[in-house]
Amino acid sequence: MRLHSPVVLPCDADCSVLRDAVVDVADDGRIAYCGPRADAPAFSGPSHELTGVLLPGLVNTHAHSPMTVLRGLGSDLPLLRWLREAMWPAEAKMTARDVGAGMLLGAVEMLRNGVTTSAEMYFHGEQLVESVLAAGSRVVFGAAILDLPGTPWRPMADEISAWIDADGLRSGPHERIELGYGPHSAYVLSPETLAEIAGEARSRGALFQVHVAESLDEDVAQRASHGSVPRLLESSGVLGGRVLSAHSVHLSEEDVAIYARHGVGVAHCPGSNGKLASGIAPLRALLDAGVHVGLGTDGPASGDDLDLLEEARLAALYSRLSTMDASSLGAASALLLATRGGAAALGRDDVGALEPGRWADLVHVDADDPAFATGLDAPDEQVLANLVWAAGARRVTDVWVAGERVVAGGESTRVDRRAAQAAVGEVSARLRAS
Amino acid sequence: MRLHSPVVLPCDADCSVLRDAVVDVADDGRIAYCGPRADAPAFSGPSHELTGVLLPGLVNTHAHSPMTVLRGLGSDLPLLRWLREAMWPAEAKMTARDVGAGMLLGAVEMLRNGVTTSAEMYFHGEQLVESVLAAGSRVVFGAAILDLPGTPWRPMADEISAWIDADGLRSGPHERIELGYGPHSAYVLSPETLAEIAGEARSRGALFQVHVAESLDEDVAQRASHGSVPRLLESSGVLGGRVLSAHSVHLSEEDVAIYARHGVGVAHCPGSNGKLASGIAPLRALLDAGVHVGLGTDGPASGDDLDLLEEARLAALYSRLSTMDASSLGAASALLLATRGGAAALGRDDVGALEPGRWADLVHVDADDPAFATGLDAPDEQVLANLVWAAGARRVTDVWVAGERVVAGGESTRVDRRAAQAAVGEVSARLRAS
């Protein structure tokens, strides 16, 4: 398949803007060529003429998407009360089927917003993965691991280890599924437990996803006992493999240096961090230190619209406000966080950019919108600004995963969206009533 | 006309959520009844069954919408450089026709986002007003008044005064047009000039719209010479009539008290204030002091998507972050800023709420969306959260102004959107080339 578009954004390190360019997709679902049409190799397969902006599928580095069934609950509570009073009691009642229903709608919704890959920390992984496969997106699943009275951590860790050993780290059509570990946080798990889980992840090359320094309460508690969460992770031997530190709001300069030293990826979640009054992560400092940073919506009960391009805008707004510097994060840098940066934060080099060999996960943003009225022929910087600041996800019309069109005309080609909404409605009503 | 909807938000002071309710529109375009269907008076006219959430048209309290022709320019510059290097040079080349083209697209775009009234500070008022009348929205026009070498302020003030004296303060079908004064700021106009303009506005009952304490640079300069901009405005005798203070980022406690004492309205523009790294306005303190606060997109070159519900989310995020309190601004309060609060900030009691006697400016947000999958029958707080945090403007399908449907199925019923986009494209290309 060949896609031809007036503007193609490969999301290379410079955030180039290619004009009159094509993306060729090989039969195996990977990109064969991305560049100017004039330089493209001969091509004989089916060809599609697009009229807007073509870019890589967005990479959501931190989500709990099955929480679509809890969306709108406890909207004005701070993090720890929101967890304890609204989320955890409801989640305790969720069945595997509920998780599947929530994930199906979440995946469909994200695809419509241009998100083709999401890192999901949640439980009932089998049903979650099944829904991802049904929707046609990609997931980096981090099996949630807690340690609570009556819910010890070891069986949860053993279960995901056995699953990885059985199915392999990546599986499913076009490797849509990656399995890994999702130990909740250093305030729910001991340093020793975190280290044991990290060892299991490292030996399998799997991603270790963990919440770090999200709220000030958590940060204060951890600083009192261990200096900081990154120091705790380092001194416990957790760092070294593929580690994704979600949120990472309350980091010191030393914490940032620890992350840079160990190649830790960060999932920056500005929307959720604002809604729950958690704070503003030191994005500029992380990027300046060379840390790989991606963006996360967090779950739809705190990052309600699952819109990663809104997170990109928020990342730029927060960065500009916290540094009082309007050049602190431009449209190009914000877009790279949502694509290439996200892939790097997850330790993945096969998504997040339009380069030969990577999966042909693609998003087409229609230019028939006031957002682009100043013209696709405007200077590069203006087109990028129009995409990020004005168009956003609203005008995503078509999305491909491994070359398969999974969204056409803004709707899923695989899932009956209304049926998925109705299923979530039923779960939500039952959780309210019980 | 009667509109019946499963959820109606009248945007009364308590932000009530009415179930199974109707809005009756009288032949004069005003609301005759808003309340439960069971209590509604007998009605014999045409009736429409809606399936989502019906709320008042949103009130954008600060905009320069003709700047759709400049959207995406200078996106990474701080305020004063952005004005001097990107905006003012381009604006100097704009003709009256350019302003008309820019405003037409801006009005259409805002209507699609549910914004039925906007306060516009700009020049070439005749063409601006003509475009508003063509699109079918409402405007509170503040004629831009500057005082620069070669561009003295007096003729600009005289022109708008003569216009008001000729046409009246409010005019056009269903009073869609309100005229007023838009003196730029206290760093462009002297205190004496501001006071003279304020006198002309007050004697006509007109709104005086002015930029106040937007950037730190401006604030520092004004504090050095006058204590603060609000003090300058008070001591010069500017305050007392209908005054709208746009931005108002860098305010002290005393400044807030001055505003409360004189009934000054504030146009809070969180998106623009973030993008230009201006800072975060003390929203909670203003509201606690009883100041009427509305939301503004600012112009589409800094509030690029002209989406007032995104501004509502940003207002809540900034307020929660700056107070570190997740209950600082809930979904209901954020929605009221975009509606009732905006009307009050403009000194208008005829828009911004669904109450008998106010204009029937209405917005229908479709519930056939993942945002509302947890159900319109969920608790009030959850429905409000789903509207503000998840649905936003994306699902606005129908908009009425004075009972006339001006948006249907997400498109203008009056303006050819593509032609409006093309016209802006031509202007934009010409401005770039010249």
Side-chain angles (χ1 to χ4, degrees):
Chain A
M1 178 180 68
R2 164 167 286 181
L3 298 174
H4 170 233
S5 201
V7 175
V8 174
L9 306 176
C11 292
D12 50 5
D14 299 329
C15 203
S16 307
V17 178
L18 306 179
R19 310 295 183 148
D20 188 17
V22 301
V23 176
D24 291 343
V25 181
D27 289 341
D28 65 357
R30 293 181 187 265
I31 293 169
Y33 172 81
C34 173
R37 180 160 61 164
D39 305 337
F43 191 87
S44 60
S47 187
H48 301 281
E49 294 294 317
L50 303 172
T51 54
V53 179
L54 189 64
L55 64 153
L58 309 178
V59 179
N60 185 352
T61 58
H62 185 61
H64 317 279
S65 302
M67 293 167 84
T68 51
V69 301
L70 307 177
R71 179 153 37 201
L73 282 185
S75 276
D76 304 335
L77 296 175
L79 176 69
L80 292 181
R81 284 189 57 201
W82 173 82
L83 284 173
R84 289 176 185 142
E85 295 171 28
M87 296 301 114
W88 289 345
E91 286 180 329
K93 294 185 283 188
M94 280 171 68
T95 66
R97 220 169 136 232
D98 297 345
V99 168
M103 185 69 225
L104 186 65
L105 184 63
V108 166
E109 212 174 330
M110 284 192 284
L111 284 172
R112 293 170 90 207
N113 287 335
V115 175
T116 51
T117 298
S118 66
E120 301 282 346
M121 282 177 76
Y122 221 64
F123 48 101
H124 293 309
E126 256 181 74
Q127 288 75 15
L128 187 154
V129 160
E130 200 177 287
S131 290
V132 168
L133 288 172
S137 57
R138 287 184 194 283
V139 69
V140 181
F141 174 61
I145 303 176
L146 304 166
D147 194 11
L148 301 168
T151 321
W153 70 273
R154 175 50 77 188
M156 293 185 244
D158 286 348
E159 190 184 346
I160 184 66
S161 295
W163 189 4
I164 297 172
D165 294 342
D167 286 5
L169 194 62
R170 296 191 196 166
S171 60
H174 303 105
E175 299 183 357
R176 276 186 167 87
I177 307 302
E178 178 180 340
L179 302 176
Y181 298 78
H184 185 276
S185 62
Y187 59 91
V188 168
L189 298 160
S190 73
E192 297 72 28
T193 302
L194 288 170
E196 279 199 62
I197 296 168
E200 302 214 7
R202 197 154 44 220
S203 70
R204 291 169 176 83
L207 186 68
F208 177 99
Q209 309 179 29
V210 60
H211 294 103
V212 173
E214 179 174 357
S215 74
L216 202 55
D217 293 353
E218 176 202 352
D219 187 58
V220 166
Q222 299 288 343
R223 278 189 195 281
S225 51
H226 296 91
S228 76
V229 183
R231 277 185 62 182
L232 177 157
L233 297 176
E234 185 181 48
S235 63
S236 313
V238 166
L239 306 184
R242 289 169 63 200
V243 174
L244 179 74
S245 170
H247 300 293
S248 314
V249 173
H250 301 281
L251 300 185
S252 67
E253 274 181 49
E254 190 201 342
D255 295 337
V256 171
I258 290 172
Y259 276 9
R261 194 155 65 232
H262 293 280
V264 174
V266 165
H268 179 41
C269 306
S272 176
N273 296 157
K275 192 176 176 210
L276 299 171
S278 301
I280 296 181
L283 175 60
R284 191 65 261 165
L286 286 162
L287 293 173
D288 288 345
V291 174
H292 293 304
V293 182
L295 297 173
T297 56
D298 209 357
S302 60
D304 300 50
D305 55 9
L306 294 178
D307 180 347
L308 205 71
L309 284 176
E310 184 170 3
E311 300 296 333
R313 286 195 293 279
L314 291 175
L317 292 173
Y318 287 14
S319 183
R320 291 168 184 218
L321 285 168
S322 56
T323 60
M324 286 300 270
D325 174 5
S327 67
S328 161
L329 200 84
S333 303
L335 181 63
L336 290 186
L337 290 177
T339 53
R340 184 182 197 85
L346 296 179
R348 293 278 295 246
D349 58 6
D350 58 345
V351 295
L354 305 185
E355 292 169 0
R358 296 206 191 210
W359 291 110
D361 296 354
L362 305 159
V363 174
H364 178 236
V365 179
D366 193 5
D368 175 22
D369 189 87
F372 291 106
T374 53
L376 285 188
D377 56 344
D380 292 354
E381 189 194 73
Q382 193 168 8
V383 172
L384 286 168
N386 287 339
L387 172 67
V388 170
W389 292 106
R394 193 166 35 95
R395 294 302 299 161
V396 168
T397 49
D398 302 274
V399 179
W400 294 261
V401 173
E404 177 197 344
R405 177 136 50 173
V406 292
V407 171
E411 292 287 1
S412 171
T413 59
R414 286 169 158 236
V415 174
D416 178 338
R417 174 175 59 80
R418 286 182 180 161
Q421 288 169 196
V424 161
E426 279 170 35
V427 173
S428 177
R430 203 197 69 235
L431 293 175
R432 278 201 298 274
S434 63
Chain B
M1 177 180 68
R2 164 166 287 182
L3 298 175
H4 171 233
S5 202
V7 174
V8 174
L9 306 175
C11 292
D12 51 3
D14 299 330
C15 203
S16 308
V17 177
L18 306 179
R19 310 295 182 147
D20 189 16
V22 300
V23 176
D24 290 344
V25 181
D27 289 342
D28 65 357
R30 292 181 187 266
I31 293 168
Y33 172 81
C34 173
R37 178 159 63 164
D39 305 337
F43 190 88
S44 61
S47 187
H48 300 281
E49 295 292 320
L50 303 172
T51 53
V53 178
L54 188 65
L55 65 154
L58 308 178
V59 179
N60 185 352
T61 58
H62 185 61
H64 317 280
S65 301
M67 293 167 83
T68 50
V69 301
L70 307 177
R71 180 154 36 201
L73 281 185
S75 275
D76 304 335
L77 297 174
L79 177 69
L80 293 180
R81 284 189 57 201
W82 174 80
L83 284 173
R84 289 177 185 143
E85 296 172 27
M87 296 299 115
W88 289 345
E91 286 180 330
K93 295 185 281 187
M94 279 170 70
T95 65
R97 222 171 134 230
D98 297 346
V99 168
M103 184 70 225
L104 187 65
L105 184 63
V108 166
E109 213 174 329
M110 283 192 284
L111 284 172
R112 294 170 89 207
N113 287 336
V115 175
T116 51
T117 298
S118 66
E120 299 283 346
M121 283 178 76
Y122 221 63
F123 49 100
H124 293 309
E126 258 180 73
Q127 289 75 15
L128 186 152
V129 159
E130 199 176 289
S131 291
V132 168
L133 289 173
S137 58
R138 287 184 194 284
V139 70
V140 181
F141 174 61
I145 303 177
L146 304 165
D147 195 12
L148 301 168
T151 320
W153 69 274
R154 175 51 78 187
M156 293 186 244
D158 287 347
E159 190 183 345
I160 184 66
S161 295
W163 189 3
I164 296 173
D165 294 342
D167 286 5
L169 195 63
R170 296 191 196 166
S171 60
H174 302 105
E175 299 184 356
R176 277 186 167 87
I177 308 302
E178 177 178 341
L179 301 177
Y181 298 78
H184 185 275
S185 62
Y187 60 91
V188 167
L189 298 160
S190 72
E192 297 73 29
T193 302
L194 289 170
E196 280 198 60
I197 297 168
E200 302 214 7
R202 197 155 42 221
S203 70
R204 291 169 176 81
L207 186 68
F208 176 99
Q209 310 180 28
V210 61
H211 295 103
V212 174
E214 179 174 357
S215 73
L216 202 55
D217 293 353
E218 176 202 352
D219 186 58
V220 167
Q222 298 288 345
R223 277 188 195 281
S225 53
H226 296 91
S228 76
V229 184
R231 278 186 62 180
L232 178 158
L233 296 176
E234 184 181 49
S235 63
S236 313
V238 166
L239 307 183
R242 289 169 64 200
V243 173
L244 179 74
S245 169
H247 300 293
S248 314
V249 173
H250 301 282
L251 299 186
S252 67
E253 273 181 48
E254 190 200 342
D255 296 336
V256 171
I258 290 173
Y259 276 8
R261 193 154 67 233
H262 293 281
V264 174
V266 165
H268 179 41
C269 307
S272 176
N273 296 158
K275 192 175 175 210
L276 299 172
S278 300
I280 296 181
L283 175 61
R284 191 66 259 164
L286 287 162
L287 293 173
D288 288 345
V291 174
H292 293 304
V293 182
L295 298 173
T297 55
D298 208 359
S302 60
D304 301 49
D305 55 8
L306 294 178
D307 180 348
L308 206 70
L309 285 177
E310 183 169 2
E311 300 296 334
R313 287 194 293 278
L314 290 175
L317 292 173
Y318 287 15
S319 183
R320 291 168 184 218
L321 284 168
S322 57
T323 61
M324 286 301 269
D325 174 6
S327 67
S328 161
L329 200 85
S333 302
L335 180 63
L336 290 185
L337 289 177
T339 53
R340 184 183 197 84
L346 297 179
R348 293 279 295 249
D349 58 6
D350 58 343
V351 295
L354 304 185
E355 291 169 0
R358 297 206 190 211
W359 291 110
D361 297 354
L362 305 159
V363 173
H364 178 236
V365 179
D366 193 5
D368 174 22
D369 190 88
F372 292 106
T374 53
L376 285 187
D377 57 344
D380 292 354
E381 188 195 75
Q382 193 168 9
V383 171
L384 286 167
N386 287 340
L387 172 68
V388 171
W389 291 104
R394 192 167 35 94
R395 292 303 298 161
V396 168
T397 50
D398 302 274
V399 179
W400 295 260
V401 173
E404 177 197 342
R405 176 137 47 173
V406 293
V407 172
E411 292 287 0
S412 171
T413 59
R414 286 168 157 237
V415 175
D416 179 338
R417 173 175 59 79
R418 285 181 180 161
Q421 288 169 195
V424 161
E426 280 170 33
V427 174
S428 177
R430 203 196 70 237
L431 293 175
R432 277 201 298 274
S434 64

